[in-house]
Amino acid sequence: MTQRVEHTTVMDRLAIDDLVTGYAIAVDDGDWAAYRALFAPGAHVDYRSAGGIAGSADAVADWLAEMMRRFPVRQHLIVNRRIGIELRDGGAPGDTATVQADYLNPMHLADPHGTPPGPSAGASAAPNYTCAGRYVFAARRAADGWLLTEVVVHEKWRQLLPAHA
């Protein structure tokens, strides 16, 4: 590999890593416009293994916006990222990539009355619901950078802690 190819590969890996980080931040912050902006036209998202839906990025963003109201405190931790970039003849990086990454998602499930957690509500905002599994992301190079073409969630486990008085 030439220095130019190595440099391009490193820059692509950093851009793809940033794309995955942007995904986590958009979901955690409830920034559905930013979430939608991460996806290429025609992208597919599948949350069925976690009890959700599968569909277009727009449809899933609408569903997430509604579902995440139940979790006023949330934080995605996406780790163990394995990025694979398609290689062209000669070893130059291509225009598609995949990422397998584990996630741990501690959240606070709102009480049945919708009272936000915190000292003013007399309850802790500490996580009481955690889920974990693996994401499989697919991405492609676009004119302005990398965009997601597919996200599939493979939930492995979840835990709901009992409410404390």
Side-chain angles (χ1 to χ4, degrees), residues 15-42:
I16 293 164
D17 187 74
D18 193 48
L19 183 66
V20 170
T21 298
Y23 174 90
I25 291 170
V27 172
D28 290 343
D29 291 351
D31 187 344
W32 307 117
Y35 178 91
R36 286 177 171 89
L38 297 169
F39 290 89

Side-chain angles (χ1 to χ4, degrees), residues 5 7 29 45 69 77 85 95 100 109 117 165:
V5 169
H7 179 265
D29 291 351
V45 184
R69 290 181 188 171
L77 305 171
I85 301 173
D95 295 330
Q100 288 186 353
L109 182 62

Side-chain angles (χ1 to χ4, degrees), residues 29-165:
D29 291 351
D31 187 344
W32 307 117
Y35 178 91
R36 286 177 171 89
L38 297 169
F39 290 89
H44 184 261
V45 184
D46 186 345
Y47 275 81
R48 290 177 296 177
S49 79
I53 67 167
S56 69
D58 284 335
V60 172
D62 291 343
W63 174 79
L64 281 170
E66 185 62 32
M67 293 306 297
M68 289 296 117
R69 290 181 188 171
R70 299 176 185 175
F71 301 96
V73 177
R74 52 190 181 263
Q75 182 177 22
H76 272 75
L77 305 171
I78 300 180
V79 300
N80 301 334
R81 300 172 195 213
R82 178 170 285 168
I83 299 171
I85 301 173
E86 164 210 24
L87 296 179
R88 296 181 181 153
D89 289 338
D95 295 330
T96 62
T98 58
V99 180
Q100 288 186 353
D102 294 332
Y103 70 89
L104 177 67
N105 192 3
M107 300 181 284
H108 188 95
L109 182 62
D111 72 22
H113 307 291
T115 305
S120 62
S124 170
N128 60 5
Y129 180 95
T130 304
C131 59
R134 179 164 292 154
Y135 282 113
V136 177
F137 297 95
R140 77 165 183 246
R141 188 187 314 272
D144 294 342
W146 288 88
L147 294 173
L148 296 169
T149 57
E150 184 174 43
V151 176
V152 179
V153 175
H154 297 282
E155 186 176 84
K156 293 182 179 183
W157 61 269
R158 67 176 72 172
Q159 178 184 38
L160 176 60
L161 297 176
H164 292 90

